[in-house]
Amino acid sequence: CLFSKVAAEPYAVKRLGVEQGLSNNFVVGITQDKQGFLWFATEEGLNKFDGTRFITYYKNEDNKQSITGNELNRVYTDSGRPIIWIATQRSGLNAYNYETQTFTAYRHDPNNPQSLITDDVTDIAPSSQSAAGIWVSTYYRGIDYLDISTGKFTHYNKETVPGMVNEQAWTVLDGGDGNIYIGHVNGGLSILSLSSKRLRNFKSGGKNATSLPGNNVRCIYKDSNGNIWVGTDHGLALFNPESGEFVNFKNNINEPYG
């Protein structure tokens, strides 16, 4: 096992940075592939760690099989394929097949309405409905669903979803309940029903202790009990879908909500 030594020494801490071969110390995402290797997305390149050393992946203008950008936002391991999905800043979505060691790039094409809606991709999430697709959030144009078999994207933004309050998104989550949860850039939390295309938006209510604590929603997580947790710039919240209210967890009880 790649990390058996770490398991045998649970209290040992080893620092891994640029001195050990990491391309950049600003790490924005981590994932582990099916072979046990760790992948790190940074502000300057993609890194694979084999337990001993780092293998770095950079954009190469002369090689179409390289990653399309060095400034990254997210990495995600495909549950059904030998693929690492990579969200880049301004350079689209990349899929790296670590068995064939090849990159596939998905970029915005203004002449193709079924291409990626914009090249600034902020997050990647699996689809609960089908292993054939993934969700991506973008910084400028809402969220997209990619049908991997066809390479076609379906767009969810102000043009296709009535009531979409904000197209700037940090994160996306498929709740497995027919709803897509969207964390906005200063726009709160939105819940989109895929069947009706109806959207509910929740924002901070000032001193209201049961409202969303902050409007900058950076992460959303569904735990094993089905609870939806929301990470904001003003604390953590647990969402109650029946009441539409939030239980807030904040570091400073004297800090006003909002």
Side-chain angles (χ1 to χ4, degrees):
C1 177
L2 181 62
F3 300 104
S4 60
K5 183 177 180 180
V6 176
E9 301 176 7
Y11 300 109
V13 177
K14 182 177 181 180
R15 184 180 298 274
L16 299 172
V18 292
E19 297 83 359
Q20 290 75 37
L22 186 68
S23 64
N24 186 274
N25 282 334
F26 198 151
V27 178
V28 294
I30 304 172
T31 192
Q32 186 175 29
D33 66 28
K34 293 181 178 180
Q35 297 174 346
F37 298 113
L38 290 173
W39 294 80
F40 300 88
T42 78
E43 286 278 347
E44 190 180 353
L46 175 68
N47 297 256
K48 173 185 176 181
F49 184 60
D50 64 5
T52 303
R53 65 189 179 97
F54 286 99
I55 301 169
T56 55
Y57 300 80
Y58 295 104
K59 178 180 178 180
N60 185 338
E61 297 286 359
D62 298 325
N63 183 3
K64 293 184 178 180
Q65 274 302 315
S66 74
I67 195 170
T68 57
N70 292 327
E71 296 175 290
L72 310 181
N73 278 327
R74 180 85 156 87
V75 281
Y76 164 71
T77 299
D78 195 297
S79 60
R81 304 168 185 82
I83 288 176
I84 301 294
W85 294 95
I86 308 141
T88 77
Q89 301 177 26
R90 300 173 296 278
S91 298
L93 175 71
N94 285 224
Y96 180 69
N97 187 313
Y98 49 84
E99 288 186 351
T100 62
Q101 299 183 31
T102 55
F103 281 94
T104 300
Y106 299 85
R107 303 294 299 267
H108 173 64
D109 179 355
N111 297 316
N112 180 4
Q114 293 180 309
S115 69
L116 182 65
I117 193 67
T118 180
D119 280 338
D120 203 334
V121 182
T122 54
D123 197 12
I124 306 163
S127 168
S128 68
Q129 304 299 318
S130 170
I134 59 170
W135 293 91
V136 299
S137 59
T138 75
Y139 194 77
Y140 295 108
R141 295 298 311 278
I143 62 172
D144 268 7
Y145 174 79
L146 169 62
D147 184 324
I148 300 171
S149 62
T150 65
K152 295 179 180 179
F153 291 83
T154 302
H155 313 310
Y156 296 83
N157 51 33
K158 288 184 177 181
E159 295 179 5
T160 62
V161 178
M164 177 74 81
V165 297
N166 187 322
E167 291 186 325
Q168 290 184 286
W170 282 127
T171 187
V172 61
L173 170 75
D174 187 333
D177 54 1
N179 293 320
I180 301 300
Y181 296 78
I182 307 167
H184 294 286
V185 179
N186 297 319
L189 172 72
S190 287
I191 303 176
L192 171 65
S193 169
L194 291 176
S195 59
S196 68
K197 289 286 186 74
R198 286 189 174 184
L199 185 139
R200 292 185 294 163
N201 180 253
F202 301 88
K203 291 183 178 178
S204 175
K207 294 184 179 181
N208 182 353
T210 62
S211 73
L212 188 69
N215 288 326
N216 206 19
V217 177
R218 296 299 297 259
C219 55
I220 309 169
Y221 178 74
K222 183 176 182 179
D223 66 24
S224 58
N225 293 319
N227 298 309
I228 301 294
W229 296 87
V230 184
T232 81
D233 56 337
H234 284 278
L236 175 69
L238 175 62
F239 177 63
N240 185 328
E242 295 182 0
S243 66
E245 295 181 337
F246 297 83
V247 177
N248 287 282
F249 302 86
K250 303 188 71 173
N251 184 40
N252 186 353
I253 60 174
N254 296 318
E255 180 184 348
Y257 288 92

